[in-house]
C-alpha cells in the first residue's frame, strides 16, 4: 500500500527533488492548525487509499513544524507558498499545483494518473 512520507529536513527535500528526474513527486504542504488543511489532508488520505500511481513519491511537509523545508520547496519550485497546497514535481520542476478547497481525491487522481 502506498503512503505519505513525511520529510522534515532540507537534505531529505534535496534528495527527493534530485530523484524527481526519475520518479515524480506529489508534495502535500499541510498546516496542522488549519481546518481547511485538515479537510484537504482527509482528501489526500482518501486518494492514497485509492489507486494512486506507484511510480510517484508521496511527500508530506508540515508547514509549521518544518517551515524551513516548506519555504525551500516554494523557492526551488517557484511556486508561491499556500497552505494547504499540493505540488506535482517532475524533472525538478512543478508541473501542477493546487491549494485549499481544490485539493480533492478527484483532482489528485486527475493530476497523477497520466504519469
Amino acid at each position: 500500500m502506498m503512503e505519505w512520507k513525511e520529510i522534515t529536513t532540507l537534505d531529505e527535500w534535496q534528495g527527493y527533488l534530485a530523484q524527481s528526474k526519475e520518479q515524480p513527486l506529489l508534495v502535500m504542504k499541510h498546516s496542522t492548525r488549519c481546518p481547511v488543511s485538515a479537510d484537504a489532508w482527509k482528501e489526500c488520505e482518501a486518494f492514497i487509499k485509492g489507486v494512486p500511481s506507484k511510480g510517484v513519491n508521496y511527500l508530506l511537509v508540515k508547514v509549521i513544524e518544518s517551515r524551513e523545508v516548506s519555504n525551500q520547496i516554494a523557492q526551488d519550485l517557484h511556486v508561491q507558498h499556500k497552505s494547504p497546497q499540493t505540488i506535482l514535481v517532475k524533472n525538478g520542476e512543478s508541473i501542477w499545483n493546487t491549494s485549499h478547497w481544490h485539493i480533492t481525491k478527484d483532482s489528485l487522481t486527475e493530476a497523477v494518473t497520466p504519469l
Side-chain angles (χ1 to χ4, degrees), residues 37-102:
S37 196
D39 287 344
W41 180 241
K42 287 177 189 167
E43 292 289 325
C44 289
E45 287 284 275
F47 161 75
I48 202 100
K49 287 182 174 98
V51 190
S53 173
K54 291 181 179 15
V56 176
N57 279 314
Y58 298 96
L59 304 180
L60 169 66
V61 178
K62 294 179 180 171
V63 299
I64 295 167
E65 295 84 347
S66 301
R67 187 170 308 279
E68 187 179 32
V69 176
S70 175
N71 290 342
Q72 191 65 50
I73 290 169
Q75 183 177 328
D76 289 346
L77 300 178
H78 310 287
V79 174
Q80 181 182 356
H81 168 75
K82 296 180 183 175
S83 174
Q85 182 176 49
T86 50
I87 307 168
L88 190 57
V89 182
K90 190 172 181 180
N91 296 319
E93 298 180 359
S94 169
I95 60 169
W96 174 87
N97 73 84
T98 196
S99 66
H100 296 86
W101 300 113
H102 299 286

Side-chain angles (χ1 to χ4, degrees), residues 26 88 95-96 106-115:
L26 182 63
L88 190 57
I95 60 169
W96 174 87
D106 289 344
S107 70
L108 297 173
T109 300
E110 191 174 305
V112 170
T113 298
L115 298 177

